[in-house]
Amino acid sequence: AQTVTQSQPEMSVQEAETVTLSCTYDTSESDYYLFWYKQPPSRQMILVIRQEAYKQQNATENRFSVNFQKAAKSFSLKISDSQLGDAAMYFCAYLMEYGNKLVFGAGTILRVKS
Amino acid sequence: DAGVIQSPRHEVTEMGQEVTLRCKPISGHDYLFWYRQTMMQGLELLVYFNNKAVMDDSGMPKDRFSAKMPNASFSTLKIQPSEPRDSAVYFCASSLSVRYEQYFGPGTRLTVT
């Protein structure tokens, strides 16, 4: 079964600085999708970024970018120029190519200091 | 687009009572998912539909939970009888297709006393 591991329960970053959240996953599949979701205190799950496993190029969305290392099964999220609004729980998630079950990690709480 | 809509946002009920959670997916999305989030278990998939048909309900306690999707724009998750261990945030999500990201509703916080 696929598993997703987020080894950092909590992270802190100073406003305007850069932070990287870690995620590793275990799968025997070659084609799949990876996501980062953000859950602020409002509890709304917000999609941050998506990566297709067949793409070598790392996905980027404004201040958010990923470092996808397929061989190492690693999928980290980098947030540049951190803002107070980035404070939230961040979940890494895996989706099989022909499946619909999103498998989530346990989450990382990100605190942003002003 | 209004996004995924869930109601109610909060529900407090007594043990043994019936609870019904409602969800309206994004128009045009063929897949609908029900998740439960707790501190202990994190986010768990309970059940999902494709074109109104249940595709997988292996994560759902079937003795007390039931999920229906009578039409493409409405789904319910019913708990009868409710128990304190059902206290959680329940999310509904929808997606366009197998390979597409899932969009979540705001969730329903359920408290069973």
Side-chain angles (χ1 to χ4, degrees):
Chain A
Q2 292 81 11
T3 58
V4 176
T5 301
Q6 294 179 249
S7 58
Q8 307 152 317
E10 192 170 325
M11 293 281 286
S12 291
V13 63
Q14 200 69 34
E15 202 174 1
E17 297 293 308
T18 295
V19 65
T20 298
L21 308 184
S22 301
C23 173
T24 58
Y25 56 94
D26 185 27
T27 184
S28 58
E29 304 292 325
S30 58
D31 293 321
Y32 48 87
Y33 306 88
L34 297 164
F35 306 89
W36 279 98
Y37 282 88
K38 169 185 177 182
Q39 187 177 38
S42 66
R43 79 167 179 253
Q44 174 80 50
M45 292 286 286
I46 302 165
L47 177 67
V48 174
I49 202 164
R50 158 199 170 105
Q51 175 79 44
E52 291 88 346
Y54 64 85
K55 288 187 177 179
Q56 293 186 343
Q57 187 173 6
N58 289 323
T60 299
E61 286 290 340
N62 301 315
R63 298 182 295 106
F64 299 87
S65 61
V66 299
N67 183 5
F68 173 49
Q69 302 289 328
K70 191 172 184 179
K73 297 180 182 176
S74 170
F75 182 60
S76 60
L77 175 70
K78 186 172 83 171
I79 306 174
S80 303
D81 186 25
S82 297
Q83 301 174 0
L84 294 177
D86 295 333
M89 176 82 93
Y90 286 81
F91 292 95
C92 178
Y94 166 98
L95 178 66
M96 222 166 57
E97 167 75 4
Y98 292 105
N100 269 289
K101 287 188 176 183
L102 263 179
V103 178
F104 287 91
T108 297
I109 297 172
L110 177 66
R111 304 192 191 281
V112 181
K113 301 174 183 176
S114 58
Chain B
D1 197 326
V4 176
I5 298 172
Q6 289 186 249
S7 65
R9 293 294 308 276
H10 304 273
E11 177 79 39
V12 180
T13 191
E14 292 184 349
M15 183 173 64
Q17 296 298 306
E18 178 179 295
V19 176
T20 299
L21 311 181
R22 298 173 176 80
C23 174
K24 176 179 168 56
I26 293 172
S27 177
H29 282 193
D30 289 335
Y31 290 83
L32 184 140
F33 309 82
W34 283 100
Y35 289 89
R36 178 170 62 182
Q37 184 179 33
T38 62
M39 289 292 292
M40 294 299 294
Q41 301 296 327
L43 276 154
E44 306 173 276
L45 178 67
L46 297 174
V47 59
Y48 81 91
F49 297 83
N50 177 21
N51 288 324
K52 302 179 292 180
V54 173
M55 302 303 292
D56 188 341
D57 61 0
S58 59
M60 193 169 72
K62 298 185 189 56
D63 56 336
R64 299 182 300 107
F65 285 61
S66 63
K68 294 183 180 180
M69 193 165 185
N71 59 62
S73 60
F74 182 67
S75 175
T76 60
L77 180 68
K78 188 175 292 187
I79 308 172
Q80 167 63 23
S82 57
E83 297 181 0
R85 58 179 168 152
D86 300 328
S87 297
V89 178
Y90 291 81
F91 287 101
C92 176
S94 70
S95 71
L96 197 56
S97 183
V98 172
R99 297 187 182 84
Y100 286 80
E101 50 272 25
Q102 297 176 18
Y103 291 92
F104 284 73
T108 296
R109 179 175 292 281
L110 173 65
T111 302
V112 183
T113 60

